[in-house]
Amino acid sequence: MTPFIQRESSIPLYSQLYHWIKTEIEEGRLPPGTKIPSIRQLTDYLQISRNTVEAAYQQLQAEGYLESVPRSGIWVAEIEERLAHSSEEVPSLVIERERVRKSVIDFKYGNVDVIKFPFKRWKKCLSDAMEEEGELLSQYSNKQGEWSLRREIATYLLQSRGVHTRPEQILITSGTQSAVEIICRLLKLQGKEVAIEEPGYSGVRTVFVDQGCEMVPVPLEKDGLSIYHLQKSKAKAVYVTPSHQFPFGMILPVGKRTQMLNWAYQSAGYIIEDDYDGEFRYQGQPIPSLKSLDEEEKVIYLGTFSKSFLPSMRMSFIVFPPSLMKQYGQKFSDYDQPVSPMIQVAMAKFMHAGDFERHIRRMRKTYQRKHQTLLNSIEQHLGNKVEIIGEKSGLHILLELQGQAAPQVIEKGLKKGVKVYAPSRFWLHPISDSQRYIMLGFGGLSIEEIEEGIALLASCI
Amino acid sequence: MTPFIQRESSIPLYSQLYHWIKTEIEEGRLPPGTKIPSIRQLTDYLQISRNTVEAAYQQLQAEGYLESVPRSGIWVAEIEERLAHSSEEVPSLVIERERVRKSVIDFKYGNVDVIKFPFKRWKKCLSDAMEEEGELLSQYSNKQGEWSLRREIATYLLQSRGVHTRPEQILITSGTQSAVEIICRLLKLQGKEVAIEEPGYSGVRTVFVDQGCEMVPVPLEKDGLSIYHLQKSKAKAVYVTPSHQFPFGMILPVGKRTQMLNWAYQSAGYIIEDDYDGEFRYQGQPIPSLKSLDEEEKVIYLGTFSKSFLPSMRMSFIVFPPSLMKQYGQKFSDYDQPVSPMIQVAMAKFMHAGDFERHIRRMRKTYQRKHQTLLNSIEQHLGNKVEIIGEKSGLHILLELQGQAAPQVIEKGLKKGVKVYAPSRFWLHPISDSQRYIMLGFGGLSIEEIEEGIALLASCI
């Protein structure tokens, strides 16, 4: 935020700030509903006293220019005579939550590294998509997803995941949750038992519950989901994360994969294989995906671009067995494709030119370095005070605590400026044991932040 | 498609074509799964004889390079030794369905005009969104939708539709269908009666049916939905298209709007107001939206960018009454936002700079001209042989036929090179009367195409 403040002026600083903001609002550059920086943020940013900012804000609130909403922030208020719609850009002073200068090192799961993201190439693909496909943009797109993208995904899955599929079997969706919704409706799982990992990904569990499925939480063993418990259940389908169990991180061994397939063949059940994080494996040999081992059309494969590309693309895909794809075509023919064809075609171009593979290779190296830094820092600062869980692949790990419970550590961490998370919500039926773990996502942090963050965390454990 | 064909060469044309395509496939420029032009398309395009193309294709099919799929087309086949992934672009010879040179004038509903679309400005907004919001791209976005976009929508709705709303009440969705899904679940409409217009928009009706609602088709009167029948029903909600009834095009008068609101207040029902096409009104005074008349938080407003911007953006929004938005926040807190924040932020910038309003104004003029051409051409060529229905606004009209049924006219039209549509699928319970109408969308056609199309159609009626 760069209000024009003259420290040498005879006009008091609070008055300068007050007039500057008031003018911005009156001239429409700060329209009603704009969130403005908190007092603390602006104090930090302008390096002026808290009192100065407070006085200016109070005056503006008293005059009805600003509005303070408890637990939300301070906003530009609606004013009666709205001025002509300004054609200027939002001034860069509008600090939004996301762009606040980092004061906390946040081990948030789900963030990815964009420092090395090939923005230039991606922008070129977007631009080409719009120029070459002008007519495409004027229409509703292919309901199943753009053919060119499905073709590239098929090629990619064969090369990188050993999955033989044809573009005809692929459905583009706007995220894993909507993919699971579609599967529930297609397999008519309402009122039926569906097996899930306990603990497991709660975002998908919510969808099953909301679609009226009966949840069967299947306990985890050291090497993943208990096949014994799955066999004992009456589940019509099982949802699994075999490449990197969420959140424990174990990789399902090939023996268990075969047993799971046999369960599906014998019970006429379906396996929903969520292959998130399959791209980022740091140790050991790759294990074939369930889909690539399936011989009886019982595996439904879910892939996402959220981890391998950008979470903000909101693009996932389902690979159906041919029989189910046919049913989808019949039952869902009235449904429009939810992902913008502009993004789909741009992604197809990005993949076709080899940029996607290059990006994945680059990111695998980047994440491997971050991952190694994380393990080294933990070793150095925390030694035998914690146990590391799920460290062979993916963009997060768990730490098992000794003595302390997660909420205490999280609270202490926040005070020290490091944010870690409790995975307890991933249990359908939380047990006291679930309090022993904390979760650390490292995708979006730099090497230095990881080192500093673990050092800070060590002082809390 | 520009294969290198030398007409003066001693090598037969079919052989030149055969070798050219074969090389393209072998060198990976035409990868497996690519759809290639039909025999007729290529014949037209290269201006060579049909036999020549047929001979080349037959040879390539016999050798396994191409694969013909009945009712789908001719595709490049999978070959055993897939060549290294080419880094070149798909050659421009790949003619996809959408880009086939138009041989038919297609009055398809839903297409929009992109000739005057401000691609340059839009690309700048996309590019700025990516550059300024780098961190945003690396994260999952705000579950309700980007604040900046919701703020712009609130401003726009107030100025253009008289709807007073705050950004906090707006939810961004990936299309009207997913909006209706969310509403069904939020209002718990499963097993409940929901009133719809008969005929009405089938894309939304399908969603209600799939969500387990009981459909109550309410007949239309000359001025829209019959309030009497609505009052007689036990409906918990009604879905209406008051700005431009779909497909009949009448505009719901203000008196009926008030009656409908009273129905909602007395029966504790909800009104789902789909304000599609509200931007494109050619005659008469604007009528206030139901949302702007609502005094008891009973109207849920649906808006879309498909008509006013591009159908390919796949972006719609819901304006909830505050009480329902609160419930949404509680019940749907686990659900991710399905629309890419890149597109959301770009759209916010586009709107903030005034480009959106300028675009709407420009398109309103463009569509008004097209619409007038359409009415004039019908008057000139069809005179009193048809009656025009729903001509005051929107991007389509209906024609009521005399004597002939729609299927006959559609079939004759196709032979003459003009494609029109039967609206009969918009009836939940089609009656014989529904065969008397044909539907003409004109958004995506040029003035010349509209004139030519109607002249062709006249020879079929």
Side-chain angles (χ1 to χ4, degrees):
Chain A
M1 174 144 169
T2 37
F4 188 60
I5 304 270
Q6 294 175 290
R7 284 169 207 276
E8 301 76 22
S9 161
S10 61
I11 304 165
L13 287 179
Y14 94 87
S15 175
Q16 291 185 40
L17 186 59
Y18 158 82
H19 280 288
W20 189 87
I21 295 176
K22 187 179 160 187
T23 309
E24 292 297 298
I25 293 174
E26 284 180 339
E27 298 185 5
R29 287 187 293 276
L30 278 179
T34 308
K35 183 169 188 180
I36 66 162
S38 70
I39 293 170
R40 197 175 57 76
Q41 283 164 3
L42 199 55
T43 304
D44 284 350
Y45 190 80
L46 295 178
Q47 299 286 310
I48 54 181
S49 86
R50 189 186 163 86
N51 288 343
T52 304
V53 179
E54 222 164 17
Y57 277 19
Q58 269 172 7
Q59 182 71 15
L60 289 160
Q61 280 183 49
E63 293 179 16
Y65 286 95
L66 297 183
E67 206 178 350
S68 171
V69 181
R71 270 167 306 163
S72 167
I74 301 167
W75 308 87
V76 176
E78 296 286 345
I79 38 177
E80 273 310 298
E81 290 172 42
R82 185 119 204 276
L83 289 135
H85 204 70
S86 159
S87 69
E88 291 173 49
E89 292 296 327
V90 181
S92 62
L93 97 169
V94 184
I95 302 180
E96 294 195 348
R97 243 157 302 172
E98 291 80 0
R99 279 183 281 160
V100 172
R101 193 154 41 120
K102 277 181 195 155
S103 53
V104 167
I105 295 175
D106 190 350
F107 282 94
K108 183 168 176 171
Y109 171 72
N111 292 356
V112 301
D113 190 328
V114 286
I115 305 290
K116 289 177 184 164
F117 186 81
F119 277 113
K120 213 173 144 189
R121 286 289 311 145
W122 174 238
K123 273 202 265 187
K124 175 86 168 59
C125 291
L126 273 173
S127 172
D128 288 353
M130 282 192 279
E131 263 164 36
E132 291 165 26
E133 317 277 335
E135 284 208 35
L136 198 62
L137 291 186
S138 71
Q139 306 171 341
Y140 283 80
S141 74
N142 187 309
K143 292 185 176 188
Q144 201 177 331
E146 292 305 312
W147 174 268
S148 55
L149 176 60
R150 289 185 279 132
R151 186 183 61 202
E152 293 301 328
I153 291 173
T155 305
Y156 171 73
L157 286 179
L158 181 60
Q159 291 173 349
S160 78
R161 310 291 305 138
V163 174
H164 282 266
T165 176
R166 295 182 62 84
E168 289 85 345
Q169 289 167 251
I170 298 175
L171 175 72
I172 307 293
T173 72
S174 61
T176 299
Q177 291 184 319
S178 75
V180 171
E181 252 180 55
I182 290 166
I183 292 167
C184 284
R185 289 167 50 196
L186 189 62
L187 300 183
K188 294 191 183 128
L189 294 178
Q190 190 177 33
K192 303 276 167 57
E193 290 192 0
V194 173
I196 50 168
E197 296 157 316
E198 173 78 339
Y201 176 41
S202 56
V204 158
R205 191 176 64 217
T206 299
V207 176
F208 283 122
V209 171
D210 286 352
Q211 293 292 316
C213 305
E214 296 278 330
M215 292 289 90
V216 182
V218 177
L220 294 180
E221 296 162 351
K222 276 234 171 328
D223 58 354
L225 184 128
S226 158
I227 302 293
Y228 170 76
H229 285 86
L230 175 63
Q231 285 164 340
K232 272 207 329 186
S233 77
K234 286 181 215 139
K236 291 287 161 218
V238 58
Y239 167 83
V240 276
T241 49
S243 282
H244 190 227
Q245 201 278 334
F246 189 90
F248 266 84
M250 65 274 278
I251 299 168
L252 201 71
V254 72
K256 277 206 163 175
R257 292 179 192 228
T258 315
Q259 289 172 346
M260 196 180 282
L261 286 164
N262 285 333
W263 163 83
Y265 302 157
Q266 280 154 22
S267 67
Y270 280 97
I271 298 170
I272 303 165
E273 176 180 29
D274 185 348
D275 198 28
Y276 94 102
D277 268 0
E279 295 85 0
F280 304 120
R281 184 181 173 79
Y282 313 121
Q283 293 175 26
Q285 289 302 305
I287 294 177
S289 64
L290 282 156
K291 181 80 192 166
S292 68
L293 299 169
D294 179 23
E295 289 172 352
E296 300 192 13
E297 306 206 349
K298 285 298 176 191
V299 177
I300 301 168
Y301 180 96
L302 304 183
T304 175
F305 289 105
S306 294
K307 306 291 177 287
S308 56
F309 190 63
L310 289 176
S312 54
M313 284 307 113
R314 308 309 304 131
M315 191 156 63
S316 300
F317 55 88
I318 306 176
V319 182
F320 279 119
S323 51
L324 282 181
M325 192 72 232
K326 205 173 149 193
Q327 283 182 42
Y328 177 87
Q330 289 158 354
K331 289 191 193 168
F332 287 75
S333 62
D334 269 347
Y335 283 83
D336 292 321
Q337 166 58 232
V339 180
S340 166
M342 179 186 76
I343 289 185
Q344 292 183 58
V345 172
M347 193 67 190
K349 286 178 186 292
F350 191 78
M351 292 177 91
H352 191 80
D355 287 315
F356 184 65
E357 281 189 54
R358 268 191 292 280
H359 178 61
I360 297 262
R361 275 199 302 274
R362 203 184 302 121
M363 294 319 292
R364 195 179 288 129
K365 279 187 207 148
T366 302
Y367 289 138
Q368 184 139 34
R369 266 198 304 276
K370 292 187 182 188
H371 183 257
Q372 198 52 54
T373 303
L374 180 66
L375 300 189
N376 293 348
S377 298
I378 292 170
E379 173 68 27
Q380 184 193 335
H381 293 289
L382 285 157
N384 49 14
K385 288 202 275 181
V386 295
E387 197 182 326
I388 302 170
I389 293 168
E391 77 280 16
K392 288 184 181 165
S393 67
L395 302 182
H396 77 273
I397 58 163
L398 292 191
L399 292 183
E400 187 175 349
L401 306 166
Q402 289 160 11
Q404 287 189 91
Q408 292 168 262
V409 173
I410 291 167
E411 205 190 320
K412 284 194 220 167
L414 275 178
K415 285 182 190 151
K416 297 269 184 184
V418 59
K419 199 165 175 188
V420 295
Y421 293 81
S424 51
R425 69 191 168 104
F426 300 124
W427 271 262
L428 178 60
H429 304 298
I431 48 173
S432 60
D433 256 16
S434 63
Q435 299 283 15
R436 286 195 294 146
Y437 305 98
I438 54 174
M439 182 164 174
L440 283 70
F442 57 89
L445 295 178
S446 69
I447 296 275
E448 294 70 30
E449 284 171 322
I450 292 171
E451 285 171 341
E452 197 188 331
I454 295 299
L456 288 170
L457 188 65
S459 64
C460 312
I461 293 180
Chain B
M1 175 143 169
T2 37
F4 188 60
I5 303 272
Q6 294 175 291
R7 284 168 207 276
E8 302 75 22
S9 160
S10 61
I11 303 164
L13 287 179
Y14 95 85
S15 175
Q16 290 184 41
L17 185 58
Y18 158 81
H19 280 288
W20 189 88
I21 295 175
K22 186 177 159 187
T23 309
E24 292 296 299
I25 294 174
E26 284 179 340
E27 297 185 6
R29 287 186 294 274
L30 279 178
T34 307
K35 184 171 188 178
I36 66 163
S38 72
I39 292 170
R40 198 173 57 76
Q41 284 163 3
L42 199 54
T43 303
D44 284 351
Y45 190 81
L46 294 178
Q47 298 285 313
I48 54 180
S49 87
R50 188 186 164 86
N51 287 344
T52 304
V53 179
E54 221 165 19
Y57 276 19
Q58 269 173 6
Q59 183 70 17
L60 289 160
Q61 280 182 51
E63 292 179 17
Y65 286 94
L66 297 181
E67 206 177 348
S68 170
V69 181
R71 269 167 306 164
S72 167
I74 301 167
W75 308 86
V76 177
E78 296 285 345
I79 38 176
E80 273 310 297
E81 290 173 40
R82 189 123 201 271
L83 288 135
H85 205 70
S86 160
S87 69
E88 292 173 49
E89 291 296 327
V90 180
S92 63
L93 96 169
V94 183
I95 303 179
E96 295 195 346
R97 241 158 305 170
E98 291 79 3
R99 278 181 283 159
V100 172
R101 192 155 42 122
K102 279 178 194 158
S103 52
V104 166
I105 294 174
D106 190 351
F107 283 94
K108 181 166 177 175
Y109 171 72
N111 293 356
V112 301
D113 189 327
V114 285
I115 305 289
K116 289 177 184 163
F117 186 81
F119 277 113
K120 212 172 144 189
R121 287 289 311 145
W122 174 240
K123 273 203 265 187
K124 175 84 168 61
C125 291
L126 274 173
S127 173
D128 288 353
M130 281 191 281
E131 264 164 37
E132 292 166 27
E133 317 277 336
E135 284 207 35
L136 198 62
L137 291 185
S138 70
Q139 307 172 341
Y140 284 79
S141 73
N142 187 310
K143 292 186 175 188
Q144 201 178 330
E146 291 305 312
W147 173 267
S148 55
L149 176 61
R150 289 186 280 132
R151 186 184 61 201
E152 294 301 328
I153 290 173
T155 305
Y156 171 73
L157 286 179
L158 180 61
Q159 291 173 348
S160 78
R161 311 291 304 138
V163 174
H164 282 267
T165 176
R166 295 182 62 83
E168 288 86 345
Q169 289 168 250
I170 298 175
L171 176 71
I172 307 294
T173 72
S174 61
T176 299
Q177 291 184 319
S178 74
V180 171
E181 253 180 53
I182 289 166
I183 292 167
C184 284
R185 289 167 51 197
L186 190 61
L187 301 182
K188 295 192 183 127
L189 294 177
Q190 191 178 33
K192 304 276 168 58
E193 290 191 1
V194 173
I196 51 168
E197 296 157 317
E198 173 79 340
Y201 176 39
S202 57
V204 159
R205 192 176 64 217
T206 299
V207 176
F208 282 121
V209 171
D210 286 352
Q211 293 292 316
C213 304
E214 296 278 329
M215 292 290 89
V216 182
V218 177
L220 294 180
E221 296 162 351
K222 275 234 171 332
D223 59 353
L225 184 127
S226 159
I227 302 293
Y228 170 75
H229 284 86
L230 176 62
Q231 285 165 340
K232 272 207 330 188
S233 78
K234 287 180 215 140
K236 290 288 162 218
V238 57
Y239 167 84
V240 276
T241 49
S243 282
H244 190 227
Q245 200 280 334
F246 189 90
F248 266 84
M250 64 275 277
I251 299 169
L252 201 71
V254 72
K256 276 206 163 175
R257 291 181 193 227
T258 315
Q259 289 173 345
M260 197 179 281
L261 285 164
N262 284 333
W263 163 82
Y265 301 159
Q266 280 155 23
S267 67
Y270 279 98
I271 298 170
I272 304 166
E273 175 179 30
D274 185 347
D275 198 29
Y276 94 102
D277 268 2
E279 295 85 0
F280 303 121
R281 184 181 172 81
Y282 313 122
Q283 293 175 25
Q285 289 302 305
I287 293 177
S289 62
L290 283 156
K291 182 79 193 165
S292 68
L293 299 170
D294 179 23
E295 289 172 354
E296 300 192 14
E297 305 206 350
K298 285 299 176 192
V299 177
I300 301 169
Y301 180 96
L302 303 183
T304 175
F305 289 105
S306 292
K307 306 290 175 289
S308 56
F309 190 63
L310 289 177
S312 54
M313 283 307 113
R314 308 308 305 129
M315 191 157 62
S316 300
F317 55 89
I318 307 175
V319 182
F320 279 119
S323 50
L324 282 181
M325 192 71 232
K326 206 173 149 194
Q327 283 182 41
Y328 177 87
Q330 288 157 355
K331 289 192 193 167
F332 287 74
S333 62
D334 269 347
Y335 283 84
D336 291 323
Q337 166 58 232
V339 179
S340 166
M342 178 185 76
I343 289 185
Q344 293 183 58
V345 172
M347 192 67 190
K349 287 177 185 291
F350 191 78
M351 293 177 91
H352 190 80
D355 288 314
F356 183 66
E357 281 189 54
R358 270 190 291 279
H359 179 61
I360 297 260
R361 276 200 301 273
R362 203 184 302 122
M363 294 320 292
R364 195 179 289 129
K365 279 186 207 150
T366 303
Y367 289 138
Q368 184 141 33
R369 267 197 304 276
K370 292 187 182 188
H371 182 257
Q372 198 52 55
T373 304
L374 180 66
L375 300 189
N376 293 346
S377 298
I378 291 169
E379 172 69 28
Q380 183 193 337
H381 293 289
L382 285 157
N384 49 15
K385 288 201 279 182
V386 294
E387 197 182 327
I388 302 171
I389 293 168
E391 77 280 15
K392 287 184 183 165
S393 69
L395 302 181
H396 78 272
I397 58 162
L398 293 191
L399 292 183
E400 186 173 350
L401 305 167
Q402 289 159 11
Q404 286 189 93
Q408 292 168 263
V409 173
I410 291 167
E411 203 189 321
K412 283 194 219 166
L414 276 178
K415 284 184 190 149
K416 297 270 183 183
V418 58
K419 198 166 175 187
V420 295
Y421 293 81
S424 53
R425 68 191 168 103
F426 300 125
W427 270 263
L428 178 60
H429 304 299
I431 48 174
S432 58
D433 256 16
S434 63
Q435 299 284 13
R436 286 194 296 147
Y437 304 98
I438 54 174
M439 182 164 174
L440 282 71
F442 58 89
L445 295 178
S446 69
I447 296 275
E448 294 71 31
E449 285 171 324
I450 291 171
E451 286 172 339
E452 198 188 331
I454 294 301
L456 288 170
L457 188 65
S459 65
C460 311
I461 293 180

